Amino acid sequence: MKKTGESTMAEPNTPQKVWLTDKEVGQRYSISRVTIWRKVRSGLLPKPVKMFENTTRWSVAELEAWEQSMIEEKQSA
């Protein structure tokens, strides 16, 4: 049990969902926010999760899986 004042951060090796905004996704891939949404509409980038009315986020784990599939696709071509 945690004592008062102790950190509430996740323990090491505990899976934790990390979410990115469109701005952060743009920084990750060095593309604009407009380009992100264009790629989502055309199916070239994973769709985000609509969490609340004006809150849309991408799962880092899903982006990493997509990146890995892109690498594997390029290597097999």
Side-chain angles (χ1 to χ4, degrees):
M1 191 156 201
K2 292 198 180 289
K3 296 177 187 174
T4 304
E6 278 190 38
S7 175
T8 58
M9 293 180 64
E11 298 294 325
N13 300 322
T14 302
Q16 184 176 359
K17 274 283 198 188
V18 178
W19 300 94
L20 300 179
T21 64
D22 58 354
K23 184 176 180 180
E24 293 167 325
V25 172
Q27 290 171 344
R28 183 179 184 103
Y29 300 118
S30 299
I31 58 178
S32 71
R33 292 170 68 197
V34 171
T35 300
I36 291 165
W37 291 105
R38 190 179 306 129
K39 289 185 179 295
V40 168
R41 281 192 302 276
S42 65
L44 297 174
L45 195 65
K47 290 184 178 182
V49 174
K50 183 138 180 115
M51 299 180 134
F52 305 103
E53 187 173 333
N54 291 315
T55 306
T56 305
R57 300 289 185 266
W58 281 261
S59 163
V60 170
E62 186 175 335
L63 289 173
E64 288 172 345
W66 172 78
E67 291 165 3
Q68 188 60 39
S69 71
M70 296 295 288
I71 291 168
E72 291 169 2
E73 183 180 309
K74 297 267 186 213
Q75 290 175 342
S76 68

